Amino acid sequence: MPHVRIPSLSRRGLLAAGGAVGLGAVLAACGDGDGDSSTESGSGTAKSGPWSFEDDRGRTAEADSVPKNIVAFIGVAAALHDYGVEVKGVFGPTKTADGKPDVQAGDLDIDKVEVLGNVWGEFNVEKYTSLAPELLVTAMWEKDALWYVPDQSKDKILQLAPSVALWAAETTVPKAIQRHEDLAASLGADVEAKKVTDAKARFEKAAARLRAAAKSQPNIKVMVGSASQDLFYVSLAKMSADTLYFQELGVRFVEPKVNEAGFFEELSWENVDKYDADIIMMDNRSSALQPDALTSKPTWAQLPAVKAGQVVPRTTEPIYSYDKCAPILEDLAEAIEKAKKVS
């Protein structure tokens, strides 16, 4: 994406791509109306009778009974699955090029759901209609914008069923998990089940471990990166739920000079050594180039963290359940515990 002027692009499109695809793949932004960005707990009931849930836009989705035919963004669907709530259809990165589950699918059996779209800008409205949807659920990276719901078809889509949007930014991991749990509970999940409480205990233990690791290695600095063929993107930690939470736990991050969108700074591969870092967390989404695809780039190979073998995956779009977020904390804690100061 050399010579691209960021203000002319959809910020959500760039976020979806992790800054890791060409301009031709960045399609129209998705959005949905006005309303505030309230993060108050939603209300709902899994009993018979009317159902309602207040989402993170401050809007209340309502139905005569608890929705059963649910369609969700893949990461949200995976989180609901961890709480025992199944969906009929999904959209967003679900399958890789070889047909295997995308990293964002979690434990969801992708062969048992209808895939309405697998890439940015793709959402099959006819398939969606055929599912007789009772609820649409997705993430929200920008105020009032429905993640992976295309602008060009959102009006048709939103007429067919109530919608719920949950923050993926402007929040932290524990808050995001709680909101997904609130929604799951309203849809009938048993959030006191042993599987859930055990996962929560593991998460809390992992958070304490990461805090201790950061405290014991105060000089270790982490850079959050995402790679494309032409550019390397360095993210600002405070802008995402995961890295903001890590920061709150004491992890030190590189602070790039971000562009007007506010999420990341674009570096040419010639300037990829602009910032000193001891650990590099690399975007693990299928839209981004992975470290083993960067061996041909000499400047990458010369980075101290790369030479020291201190490059770890970053789950850029976490699945917000305790079960899926606990290992993320454990892995980063281990990386910091073992890291050597190389910058």
Side-chain angles (χ1 to χ4, degrees):
M1 272 183 341
H3 314 304
V4 170
R5 293 175 62 252
I6 293 302
S8 68
L9 294 179
S10 156
R11 181 166 72 173
R12 289 183 293 281
L14 285 169
L15 286 169
V21 294
L23 174 60
V26 181
L27 304 179
C30 57
D32 179 34
D34 24 49
D36 63 45
S37 56
S38 169
T39 55
E40 296 176 359
S41 294
S43 61
T45 174
K47 299 177 182 179
S48 60
W51 171 89
S52 66
F53 184 86
E54 184 179 350
D55 75 357
D56 290 349
R57 295 170 295 178
R59 299 185 182 188
T60 300
E62 298 178 310
D64 292 336
S65 60
V66 177
K68 299 298 182 185
N69 291 351
I70 303 167
V71 173
F73 172 71
I74 184 63
V76 178
L80 291 175
H81 171 80
D82 286 348
Y83 286 103
V85 177
E86 303 302 339
V87 304
K88 298 290 187 180
V90 297
F91 54 96
T94 303
K95 296 181 179 181
T96 59
D98 58 3
K100 294 180 180 179
D102 188 275
V103 65
Q104 295 188 62
D107 293 332
L108 195 66
D109 187 341
I110 62 174
D111 293 325
K112 292 185 177 180
V113 293
E114 187 74 52
V115 180
L116 306 180
N118 199 58
V119 297
W120 182 257
E122 182 180 273
F123 191 113
N124 191 314
V125 180
E126 290 184 3
K127 282 187 178 181
Y128 180 59
T129 304
S130 72
L131 294 175
E134 297 172 336
L135 180 65
L136 177 78
V137 190
T138 191
M140 182 169 64
W141 283 81
E142 290 183 288
K143 184 177 179 291
D144 298 326
L146 300 186
W147 194 230
Y148 272 79
V149 177
D151 227 15
Q152 62 269 29
S153 54
K154 75 177 179 66
D155 290 341
K156 291 182 180 178
I157 293 168
L158 295 177
Q159 288 175 358
L160 296 171
S163 63
V164 164
L166 299 178
W167 273 119
E170 301 191 28
T171 187
T172 62
V173 171
K175 292 178 182 178
I177 292 175
Q178 184 60 59
R179 294 296 288 136
H180 285 70
E181 185 172 289
D182 290 342
L183 177 60
S186 81
L187 294 171
D190 179 4
V191 297
E192 297 301 325
K194 188 175 187 301
K195 177 184 176 182
V196 176
T197 57
D198 285 353
K200 183 176 182 179
R202 180 184 174 186
F203 176 87
E204 292 171 345
K205 183 178 179 180
R209 179 182 174 184
L210 180 54
R211 187 188 296 276
K215 186 176 181 179
S216 69
Q217 291 265 54
N219 296 321
I220 295 298
K221 186 173 284 190
V222 180
M223 181 163 66
V224 182
S226 182
S228 73
Q229 190 59 44
D230 299 316
L231 294 172
F232 184 79
Y233 300 80
V234 182
S235 292
L236 186 62
K238 70 178 183 179
M239 297 301 289
S240 298
D242 61 328
T243 46
L244 173 58
Y245 182 51
F246 303 156
Q247 203 167 41
E248 290 179 352
L249 292 174
V251 178
R252 290 185 62 211
F253 286 97
V254 166
E255 295 190 4
K257 296 180 179 179
V258 297
N259 60 31
E260 292 182 28
F263 281 85
F264 48 72
E265 177 181 1
E266 306 94 329
L267 299 177
S268 68
W269 283 105
E270 290 76 16
N271 296 314
V272 74
D273 60 352
K274 178 177 179 179
Y275 298 106
D276 293 331
D278 305 294
I279 295 173
I280 303 176
M281 297 180 69
M282 289 294 287
D283 186 348
N284 73 339
R285 293 178 295 178
S286 54
S287 58
L289 291 182
Q290 299 306 302
D292 58 4
L294 302 176
T295 55
S296 63
K297 297 187 180 297
T299 50
W300 168 259
Q302 291 305 309
L303 293 176
V306 176
K307 293 172 71 173
Q310 295 178 175
V311 178
V312 298
R314 177 203 175 194
T315 303
T316 306
E317 293 188 53
I319 294 168
Y320 287 116
S321 68
Y322 291 113
D323 183 70
K324 294 299 180 294
C325 288
I328 295 174
L329 301 183
E330 292 166 348
D331 290 346
L332 182 56
E334 182 177 7
I336 293 175
E337 288 164 354
K338 294 181 176 179
K340 296 179 180 179
K341 183 67 180 174
V342 295
S343 64

